[in-house]
Amino acid sequence: MDNMKLAELLFPDITKAPEEYDSIFPVRNLAKDARVTRLAPSPTGFIHIGNLFSAFADERMAHKSGGVFYLRIEDTDDKRYVEGAVDTIVNALDYFEIQFDEGAGITGESGEYGPYYQSHRAEIYQTFVKMMIQKGQAYPCFLTEEEINEIRAKQDSIKANPGIYGEWAVSRNLTYEEIEENIKSGKPYVVRLKSKGAAQADPDNIKTITVADAIRGDITMPENNMDVVILKATGIPTYHFAHVIDDHFMRTTHVVRGEEWLSSLPIHVELFETLGWDHPIYCHTAHLMKIDEEGNKRKLSKRKDPELSLDYYRKDGYHPKAVREYLLTILNSNFEEWRIANPDADIDEFEFSPEKMSNSGALFDLNKLKDVCKDVLVKIPAGELYEFLAGWAKEFKPDVYSLISKDRGYVERILDVGRSGNKPRKDLIYGEQIFEFIKYFFDKHFVIEDELPANVSAEDAKAILQAYLDSYDHSDDQSAWFDKIRNLGTELGFAAKPKDYKKNPDQYKGHVGDVSTVIRLAVTGRSQSPDVWEIQQILGADRTVQRVNAYKDKL
């Protein structure tokens, strides 16, 4: 076979020499230990928490080492392309403060190693397929879909491994004349890797490869023994081939991807070796898991779990700082220990390491995320929290935005209730919940939601509220205010202290906590809330008295 002649037959329009790309995409001028990472999603219009999980790992690895993090769009599959998907990807990741140094973007591409869309890199891929043809490392395959199905059926019948290899790789042995005749007759073809393992596939003597994975350590697995497709009949490369070319010429040092790609690792290693390049360091992450309602541990599912989609967190209004903080708790096993030792440090100070990532299934727990949100949001100043809440409401809850945007100072005071001192309240979690938590401050949303305490009759409640109104002075400080509640309670037959009531329940109607709960219900509509005195200071004297009167009249 004259491989040079065959290469010209297949790729007459490819004239650039492969070595030219080394000068077009030179080795990056970075420090020795700098890492170059990438996020390379398909433009399907769906971006999920797993993408953010990987992107955050990529970003940490690159930026903590003084390296580069870029966005590449793997759009070689026209069937999966969704219009506007790139904007969706960039906007979603930007919301969570994932910043790319170069790559695809909403306004175009930036960086010296593009194009960053695989669909724009056809000439590069075909140049190297042509080179592989010249070296006898690849060949055109004219098998039709029907013929491949027949091969699979035969393989099934004799319990052989499915695929094109060994005796099944019939196009390997075609002469130049046969290939030329097929092409002249218009017969479609793909280009396959002429795998070393496929030529000598022996089920009784399987060779292995060992690859160092930054998360899992050394991985030993069977070498590739399949003549996989590297170029489709359309002239577009497969993912296997395209990502090898791109990662090499974009000078990627580390590839973070899910464990579902482990089975393809031998193919990728062989492609790198065939092309004469070192492969990047692979970091195969564990699947994101959850404990379902039955107590079983399973993978997060697009069909079953709405929390898989990043839209879930944006629409509900999860703060990006809280989500990033939570992701680090499942990305690195030592993060929580670091956080305890550094409670006020910025997470960018944490030394992220792929070696500390789980390789056995990272458990995603929505309840734990909410707990992290409480810890993170309590440290965010009220002004900054207002900006976040207003931005979320403007996009997802216009009616809430119109309400909270009328008086920023008023809302900031509300958001700051109970958040000072040594033991601040941790009540705020995410946008939707925050508004539900504070909505009683707005008359339009104020309702009595809870019942009177079991120890308090409607008649006693009326007496409590009337006595409260008679003694109410908006200028009282917190101590004087509570003393009045305790005094009016004892006058009406309630114990001044809960422990007194507990010791002698027959001597009292209830205790001071029951009395304050009645007042809390009148002011907030709820049996539980932050400090009532502080709430009244924000509501003002007139609205406080009005609410107490209205509740008393309804009893």
Side-chain angles (χ1 to χ4, degrees):
M1 172 71 75
D2 186 339
N3 289 324
M4 298 298 289
K5 187 177 178 182
L6 176 60
E8 289 304 319
L9 174 66
L10 299 179
F11 299 100
D13 298 327
I14 298 299
T15 58
K16 193 169 284 184
E19 53 269 21
E20 291 182 52
Y21 287 105
D22 283 316
S23 58
I24 295 172
F25 306 116
V27 174
R28 293 175 183 268
N29 184 23
L30 297 170
K32 179 182 177 182
D33 295 326
R35 296 169 175 176
V36 179
T37 63
R38 46 76 164 175
L39 186 68
S42 298
T44 60
F46 180 75
I47 184 163
H48 54 78
I49 195 71
N51 296 131
L52 181 61
F53 182 80
S54 295
F56 197 21
D58 282 317
E59 182 202 48
R60 291 294 82 206
M61 290 171 65
H63 291 166
K64 291 299 289 183
S65 66
V68 174
F69 175 43
Y70 68 89
L71 176 63
R72 183 172 76 224
I73 303 300
E74 300 193 338
D75 58 346
T76 57
D77 188 344
D78 290 341
K79 295 177 182 178
R80 302 184 69 199
Y81 180 80
V82 174
E83 192 69 34
V86 175
D87 290 3
T88 299
I89 293 167
V90 173
N91 285 329
L93 293 174
D94 182 66
Y95 176 84
F96 292 101
E97 300 176 1
I98 299 295
Q99 301 297 320
F100 296 100
D101 301 301
E102 62 184 50
I106 294 174
T107 58
E109 300 183 23
S110 63
E112 302 298 321
Y113 290 80
Y116 294 91
Y117 288 81
Q118 287 187 334
S119 60
H120 299 166
R121 298 171 64 85
E123 182 183 51
I124 303 174
Y125 305 132
Q126 291 179 16
T127 296
F128 286 89
V129 175
K130 182 176 182 178
M131 181 192 76
M132 292 173 69
I133 295 287
Q134 291 171 338
K135 293 182 177 182
Q137 299 169 331
Y139 64 94
C141 174
F142 296 90
L143 286 171
T144 64
E145 187 175 347
E146 291 75 15
E147 289 171 327
I148 291 175
N149 288 336
E150 289 175 8
I151 288 174
R152 285 175 180 162
K154 291 177 183 177
Q155 290 170 332
D156 285 343
S157 68
I158 61 174
K159 297 183 179 179
N161 290 330
I164 303 303
Y165 61 94
E167 64 181 287
W168 313 105
V170 294
S171 289
R172 261 188 184 239
N173 303 316
L174 294 177
T175 65
Y176 175 85
E177 289 73 23
E178 288 173 319
I179 293 172
E180 184 179 39
E181 180 59 33
N182 282 335
I183 291 174
K184 284 182 178 178
S185 65
K187 196 169 184 181
Y189 65 91
V190 299
V191 177
R192 291 183 180 274
L193 167 69
K194 191 177 284 187
S195 172
K196 299 175 195 173
Q200 53 195 29
D202 180 359
D204 298 320
N205 184 26
I206 299 175
K207 294 183 179 180
T208 61
I209 61 170
T210 298
V211 181
D213 186 286
I215 297 175
R216 298 165 183 268
D218 287 346
I219 301 174
T220 299
M221 54 202 315
E223 70 173 353
N224 174 53
N225 63 359
M226 298 288 169
D227 284 356
V228 295
V229 176
I230 58 175
L231 200 70
K232 303 173 191 175
T234 57
I236 299 297
T238 58
Y239 166 80
H240 299 307
F241 189 70
H243 104 276
V244 167
I245 299 295
D246 294 341
D247 282 339
H248 175 72
F249 283 115
M250 292 179 182
R251 307 301 176 178
T252 310
T253 65
H254 291 69
V255 171
V256 179
R257 63 185 186 182
E259 64 180 283
E260 64 271 16
W261 290 105
L262 278 169
S263 60
S264 301
L265 186 57
I267 297 172
H268 302 156
V269 169
E270 182 173 7
L271 284 169
F272 273 106
E273 290 178 348
T274 299
L275 290 162
W277 303 330
D278 292 333
H279 62 75
I281 297 172
Y282 285 102
C283 313
H284 288 92
T285 61
H287 289 305
L288 284 179
M289 313 290 284
K290 72 172 290 185
I291 304 296
D292 63 18
E293 293 75 13
E294 287 75 39
N296 300 316
K297 191 175 181 180
R298 61 167 175 78
K299 282 172 57 178
L300 280 173
S301 162
K302 182 177 178 180
R303 182 173 59 86
K304 297 179 181 178
D305 306 310
E307 67 267 32
L308 182 64
S309 171
L310 286 191
D311 277 348
Y312 175 89
Y313 304 94
R314 295 189 66 193
K315 289 177 180 177
D316 276 6
Y318 282 84
H319 198 289
K321 286 184 179 179
V323 176
R324 286 165 65 88
E325 178 98 6
Y326 174 66
L327 284 178
L328 271 178
T329 70
I330 55 177
L331 276 167
N332 263 196
S333 58
N334 60 329
F335 175 75
E336 290 183 89
E337 181 181 340
W338 176 87
R339 174 53 80 201
I340 292 171
N342 302 274
D344 299 317
D346 190 292
I347 60 171
D348 286 347
E349 296 176 28
F350 174 70
E351 291 296 329
F352 174 83
S353 170
E355 290 81 8
K356 295 290 185 179
M357 293 178 70
S358 170
N359 61 13
S360 60
L363 186 62
F364 187 87
D365 185 343
L366 201 55
N367 288 325
K368 186 172 180 180
L369 168 60
K370 292 175 181 178
D371 287 339
V372 170
C373 288
K374 293 176 183 179
D375 290 333
V376 171
L377 265 59
V378 76
K379 296 177 182 178
I380 297 176
E384 185 181 330
L385 200 55
Y386 172 84
E387 291 282 358
F388 167 75
L389 187 65
W392 163 77
K394 189 173 185 179
E395 183 173 0
F396 297 105
K397 296 284 184 179
D399 56 329
V400 172
Y401 176 73
S402 66
L403 195 65
I404 67 175
S405 61
K406 291 176 182 177
D407 189 341
R408 174 172 178 155
Y410 178 67
V411 179
E412 285 189 19
R413 289 183 68 193
I414 294 170
L415 294 174
D416 232 9
V417 170
R419 300 205 313 150
S420 58
N422 295 328
K423 293 184 178 180
R425 292 182 64 94
K426 296 180 180 180
D427 297 308
L428 308 183
I429 307 174
Y430 55 92
E432 189 85 46
Q433 177 271 340
I434 290 173
F435 183 71
E436 285 298 311
F437 186 72
I438 68 172
K439 68 180 183 181
Y440 59 81
F441 280 96
F442 304 94
D443 293 338
K444 178 182 176 182
H445 293 271
F446 173 73
V447 292
I448 304 297
E449 298 180 5
D450 295 330
E451 301 292 329
L452 286 168
N455 295 332
V456 182
S457 66
E459 183 179 348
D460 284 333
K462 282 185 177 184
I464 289 170
L465 294 175
Q466 185 58 59
Y468 183 67
L469 289 170
D470 291 341
S471 65
Y472 185 74
D473 184 342
H474 194 70
S475 64
D476 284 342
D477 63 20
Q478 194 169 24
S479 178
W481 170 82
F482 187 71
D483 285 343
K484 285 184 177 180
I485 291 178
R486 185 161 43 212
N487 291 336
L488 72 86
T490 57
E491 291 171 5
L492 293 171
F494 291 84
K497 298 177 181 179
K499 66 179 181 179
D500 294 339
Y501 173 69
K502 189 174 182 181
K503 287 180 181 179
N504 301 288
D506 296 336
Q507 295 182 19
Y508 305 99
K509 295 179 179 179
H511 55 78
V512 68
D514 298 319
V515 175
S516 62
T517 296
V518 173
I519 297 167
R520 190 185 307 275
L521 279 167
V523 175
T524 70
R526 301 171 182 180
S527 58
Q528 293 185 351
S529 75
D531 183 73
V532 178
W533 177 84
E534 196 171 351
I535 292 170
Q536 291 178 163
Q537 295 304 304
I538 296 172
L539 288 172
D542 291 344
R543 290 167 75 198
T544 298
V545 170
Q546 181 183 25
R547 288 188 178 187
V548 173
N549 266 316
Y551 185 46
K552 178 174 68 71
D553 292 343
K554 286 182 180 179
L555 292 172

